[in-house]
Structure formats: structure tokens, C-alpha cells
Amino acid sequence: MKNTFVKAGLALLISASMMACNNQGAPANTASNDSLATNNKVLTTESIVYVNSDSLLNNYEYFKDVRTRFEEKAKKAQADLQSKGTAFQREVADYQKNAGTMTAEQRANTEERLARKQEELGRLNQNASSSLAQEEMEENAKLYEKVSTYLKKHSKEKGYKFVLTYSTSNPAVLYADDALEITKEVVTGLNAEYEKEQKEKK
């Protein structure tokens, strides 16, 4: 079971664009040479910013904690399956070694028992993979909700209309001026909220 949680987390945050806030409460913008007029409203370059999702995930404490727990759970499940698989292989080897001295009935019973164990191992592997995949999907949904909720609030305070995402592994945005990047301020805010949540749980 290959752990894909990190890649999934990246893919979740990397979209063509993320609507960060609605127009209510946003400061009015005046027309300038660096603005775009859409539907009789003015959208300045200052109201379009972006977040580097690679950097965000690498520095967001919530994501790092979830990733660590997920990886530990995946390793434990893999180790358990590997232990059971090794034990099964030993049983098969013992049977093959002693088959010549066994009666036909003993061989039939042993082969039937080994076949059942093999099927059981297959089910355990499938169930473990399904369980991890389900948990991964749920955790990624929580991650998206946390980031999206924070960005809506933060953008309303700052007057951002769009927050785009950028990633070197999936560069939907081919170029972005560094002056428009808000990754650090977003990470700082997300970590502050996560730290507060952790303190409240204690």
C-alpha cells in the first residue's frame, strides 16, 4: 500500500483557481491602468493574489501532523500484513517439505486450510487499503475546508477577490509576480488557528 497522502493533499489544493471571498465587505476599487473591468466592476491586480501550495503544505502544522499520523497508520497496517504474509509463507514451506510423508487426507485438509488463509490475507489487504483510502479522502476534505474557510475570512479582511494556487509539480499558473504571493501570511494565520484549536482541546 503506497502512501499517496502527500500527493493527494497537493492535488487537493492545486486547482485552476480558488474563490477566496464574495464581493460583500470588500473595499471598492478605482479604475487604473493595472485593472480589468468586468460586469461594470473593477478588478485591480492587487485584489488577485496567489498561494504556493507546496510551501503551504510543507509549513502548515495541521497538515504535517495529519500526514505523520497517516503515515504511521499505513506503516503499521503494512507491517501487520507483512507479518501475516511471512507466517503464511512459512506454513506453505512446511507443507511442501512434509507433503511426501502425509496421507492423501492430510494433504487435502492442509491445502484447504492454506487456501482459506490465502483468501483471508487477500481480504485483509483489500480492507486495509480501502480503509486507508477512505481516511485519506476524509482528511483531504478536512484540509480543503480549513484552508478554504480561512482564505475566505482572510481575503474579506484584505480585499482579495481571487486567491490562485501555484505548485512547481502542477504549474497551472505559468508565471506570477512575487509581490502577489501571500503564502507566508496565510501559513502564519492557519498555524495560529491550529495552535489555538490544540490549546482548546487540552
Side-chain angles (χ1 to χ4, degrees):
M1 292 174 295
K2 186 177 180 181
N3 176 27
T4 60
F5 186 68
V6 177
K7 290 182 180 179
L10 286 169
L12 188 65
L13 286 179
I14 301 166
S15 56
S17 66
M18 182 186 295
M19 269 301 246
C21 69
N22 56 33
N23 291 327
Q24 295 178 354
N29 296 307
T30 57
S32 69
N33 292 332
D34 295 326
S35 65
L36 298 173
T38 56
N39 297 329
N40 298 324
K41 295 181 180 179
V42 176
L43 191 64
T44 65
T45 54
E46 288 77 13
S47 64
I48 302 175
V49 293
Y50 74 94
V51 170
N52 185 313
S53 55
D54 296 330
S55 179
L56 186 149
L57 292 177
N58 286 333
N59 293 283
Y60 187 14
E61 295 301 325
Y62 168 77
F63 177 76
K64 291 194 286 185
D65 288 347
V66 170
R67 179 180 58 192
T68 298
R69 290 197 302 270
F70 187 84
E71 289 176 345
E72 288 174 352
K73 184 170 289 188
K75 287 179 181 178
K76 183 177 179 181
Q78 187 173 10
D80 183 55
L81 287 170
Q82 187 172 352
S83 176
K84 286 181 169 61
T86 300
F88 174 73
Q89 290 173 358
R90 282 199 300 266
E91 287 191 57
V92 172
D94 287 342
Y95 167 67
Q96 292 173 339
K97 180 180 179 181
N98 300 317
T101 62
M102 300 169 67
T103 65
E105 184 179 359
Q106 287 175 327
R107 286 197 299 270
N109 289 338
T110 303
E111 289 172 1
E112 184 179 349
R113 178 174 56 81
L114 291 174
R116 287 198 302 269
K117 279 199 170 185
Q118 188 174 25
E119 290 178 0
E120 182 182 353
L121 282 173
R123 285 195 298 271
L124 286 173
N125 186 28
Q126 185 175 8
N127 290 341
S129 296
S130 298
S131 177
L132 287 171
Q134 177 65 28
E135 183 175 346
E136 180 180 339
M137 184 174 64
E138 292 172 356
E139 291 295 349
N140 281 324
K142 291 178 185 177
L143 171 66
Y144 177 84
E145 182 64 25
K146 280 182 173 291
V147 174
S148 179
T149 299
Y150 176 78
L151 282 175
K152 287 177 183 177
K153 179 180 67 175
H154 185 68
S155 296
K156 188 173 183 178
E157 294 172 354
K158 297 288 187 176
Y160 302 141
K161 293 291 191 287
F162 285 93
V163 178
L164 307 179
T165 57
Y166 173 79
S167 169
T168 54
S169 60
N170 187 7
V173 178
L174 296 179
Y175 171 76
D177 191 326
D178 290 344
L180 300 177
E181 182 176 356
I182 60 167
T183 308
K184 287 185 179 180
E185 65 185 70
V186 171
V187 169
T188 299
L190 284 168
N191 283 336
E193 286 194 350
Y194 181 55
E195 183 179 359
K196 182 180 178 181
E197 290 173 3
Q198 294 300 98
K199 288 181 179 179
E200 290 175 352
K201 290 179 180 179
K202 295 179 180 179

